[in-house]
Amino acid sequence: MAPKDIASGTPFDLVVVGQGYVGLPLAQAAAGEGLGVAGLDRSQPVVDALNSGTSHIDDISDDELAAMLEQGYRATTDASVQSRAAAVVICVPTPLSDTGGPDLTAVTSAARSVAEHLRPGTLVVLESTTYPGTTDEVVRPILEESGLTAGKDFHLAFSPERVDPGNPVYGIVNTPKVVGGLTPECTATAAAFYSKFIETVVEAAGTREAEMAKLLENTYRHVNIALVNEMAVFCRELGIDLWDAIGLAGTKPFGYQAFYPGPGVGGHCIPIDPNYLSYKVRTLGYPFRFVELAQEINNRMPEYVVNRAMARLNAHGLALSRARVLLLGVTYKPDIADQRESPAEPVAKKLIDAGAEVVYHDPHVAAWSVRGREIERVLEPNAAKADLVVLLTGHREYTPDSLPAGVPVLDTRGSLRGAAGVETL
């Protein structure tokens, strides 16, 4: 069903700036509880697709989007819609710059757009992951160019997004929502707003604490993934089955959480967010050695995978430079189509540089390019011609029966442990 005319002057309870993996599920959760929601995005093709009922993210199906449209949700590129909003939530990307530091271009651009349309009493929330101090030191001054004062004329808060694409258990509604305002009143206002459609809201001492919470969560994961990645390297040299050791350690009911090795880290958080914290620490004159070392270890895993692939082929009397290598899974995590920062790309680049012919299979990715060159897609992996199979993403479709018979396999995810011809990372 097509949405109503967004230019009608109708007020909105919420305008979500950015309709991607964070913004669209947020809009869905709010619309589902009866709030009037508009999704603001700078991409006209994205807006047109959303308004016609076609979703571009894994976590929102076309049927779910149709329900949102029925509930009154509408998408637009018209920034003036923000002038009719009781709350504006900014959910735009915060990638790394070419120098490895924070790139807040999208955040500052969104803040300027909000400032142009800001009205007294509006709640403005930043959800984009960033370094501590951004809400107060970067976003607040831009918003105050409107002539309104944060904490007095309008409410300002930070609330870290906790979206986990493809998670079948935890979504926007049942994942606790952290909110930290510029003032206690700002915090209370933001908490009351989110409580309308989120089950549990947790109030932070302020914006910086809320910003730090997100970075702490992801730095914790980043460092622990690096730990098991490094252990994977030396456990092989020691003749230890690390996967078995992880399972054994996991039987302890306290003091331990399992992390698993892999070909690198991917997604919208782990490869990027800890660098924001490292950047902030460096401004104080300190190195953040845990993060920097974790980054170094995780970044070298694609090279380690290629070295293991070479050794696997050599053991069968084959050279990597003349081998056809089938990559299984090119997304950054199982059972979704999201390819952001996937380690499959650096692995493929290194294989190609070594002279290998690279082909791939992924049930969620119909076309895949590396360095602008389209990689051949195999339709049936168990019937594919290959000298080596490298499993990079553990999609549920990948079972021993999905493997080509008699072809050696390097399993970087432990998905096929114990199967004939399979060697784990």
Side-chain angles (χ1 to χ4, degrees), residues 357-369:
E357 177 189 359
V358 175
V359 297
Y360 87 99
H361 175 271
D362 193 304
H364 303 278
V365 180
W368 187 51
S369 297

Side-chain angles (χ1 to χ4, degrees), residues 63-402:
D63 287 344
E64 289 171 324
L65 180 56
M68 292 171 62
L69 295 171
E70 182 70 30
Q71 291 157 351
Y73 164 83
R74 61 209 72 177
T76 184
T77 57
D78 182 3
S80 69
V81 72
Q82 297 169 108
S83 66
R84 292 181 264 144
V88 177
V89 177
I90 300 172
C91 302
V92 296
T94 48
L96 297 177
S97 67
D98 292 338
T99 60
D103 182 354
L104 298 181
T105 303
V107 169
T108 56
S109 177
R112 289 190 181 95
S113 177
V114 175
E116 291 176 8
H117 305 283
L118 191 59
R119 296 181 299 108
T122 302
L123 168 65
V124 180
V125 183
L126 177 64
E127 285 205 8
S128 304
T129 304
T130 185
Y131 58 83
T134 301
T135 306
D136 186 25
E137 299 167 6
V138 177
V139 174
R140 180 182 58 79
I142 294 174
L143 296 177
E144 290 184 341
E145 291 175 5
S146 65
L148 301 176
T149 301
K152 177 183 177 183
D153 301 314
F154 67 94
H155 304 287
L156 178 62
F158 180 83
S159 180
E161 59 89 0
R162 284 173 158 176
V163 173
D164 184 18
N167 192 318
V169 177
Y170 290 105
I172 294 288
V173 173
N174 66 347
T175 299
K177 190 72 170 149
V178 171
V179 295
L182 187 67
T183 66
E185 185 179 357
C186 290
T187 300
T189 301
F193 165 71
Y194 280 113
S195 293
K196 294 176 181 178
F197 57 95
I198 290 179
E199 292 175 2
T200 304
V201 176
V202 183
E203 296 187 11
T207 57
R208 283 173 169 80
E209 288 76 13
E211 290 162 336
M212 180 61 82
K214 172 65 172 180
L215 298 182
L216 177 59
E217 293 168 15
N218 287 336
T219 300
Y220 167 79
R221 293 171 62 197
H222 186 53
V223 168
N224 280 282
I225 291 169
L227 171 65
V228 292
N229 276 338
E230 187 159 46
M231 292 184 76
V233 175
F234 68 71
C235 278
R236 174 170 171 75
E237 299 295 322
L238 294 172
I240 296 170
D241 184 341
L242 176 60
W243 300 92
D244 188 50
I246 291 171
L248 295 170
T251 63
K252 185 179 180 181
F254 54 89
Y256 177 80
Q257 180 179 353
F259 288 83
Y260 300 92
V265 291
H268 61 298
C269 290
I270 305 302
I272 296 173
D273 296 354
N275 290 281
Y276 274 65
L277 185 53
S278 181
Y279 163 83
K280 188 63 175 180
V281 173
R282 285 198 301 271
T283 67
L284 303 175
Y286 305 108
F288 195 178
R289 286 181 285 180
F290 262 121
V291 165
E292 291 162 5
L293 182 58
Q295 191 79 1
E296 177 186 333
I297 293 169
N298 289 331
N299 283 348
R300 75 186 183 205
M301 289 307 292
E303 182 175 0
Y304 178 67
V305 169
V306 173
N307 288 339
R308 288 287 304 278
M310 185 181 302
R312 194 89 170 92
L313 285 164
N314 289 346
H316 286 76
L318 299 171
L320 181 58
S321 61
R322 295 189 298 275
R324 178 178 167 94
V325 180
L326 169 61
L327 303 181
L328 295 184
V330 298
T331 61
Y332 86 89
K333 65 182 294 188
D335 305 324
I336 64 171
D338 195 344
Q339 300 174 50
R340 287 176 294 174
E341 307 297 328
S342 171
E345 184 170 349
V347 168
K349 287 178 180 177
K350 292 180 183 298
L351 288 169
I352 292 169
D353 288 344
E357 177 189 359
V358 175
V359 297
Y360 87 99
H361 175 271
D362 193 304
H364 303 278
V365 180
W368 187 51
S369 297
V370 175
R371 293 194 182 120
R373 167 189 162 192
E374 188 168 342
I375 304 299
E376 178 186 342
R377 186 188 188 205
V378 170
L379 297 180
E380 297 293 340
N382 59 358
K385 177 187 176 185
D387 298 305
L388 176 69
V389 173
V390 181
L391 187 147
L392 296 175
T393 310
H395 295 309
R396 65 168 62 96
E397 288 87 351
Y398 297 145
T399 66
D401 291 338
S402 68

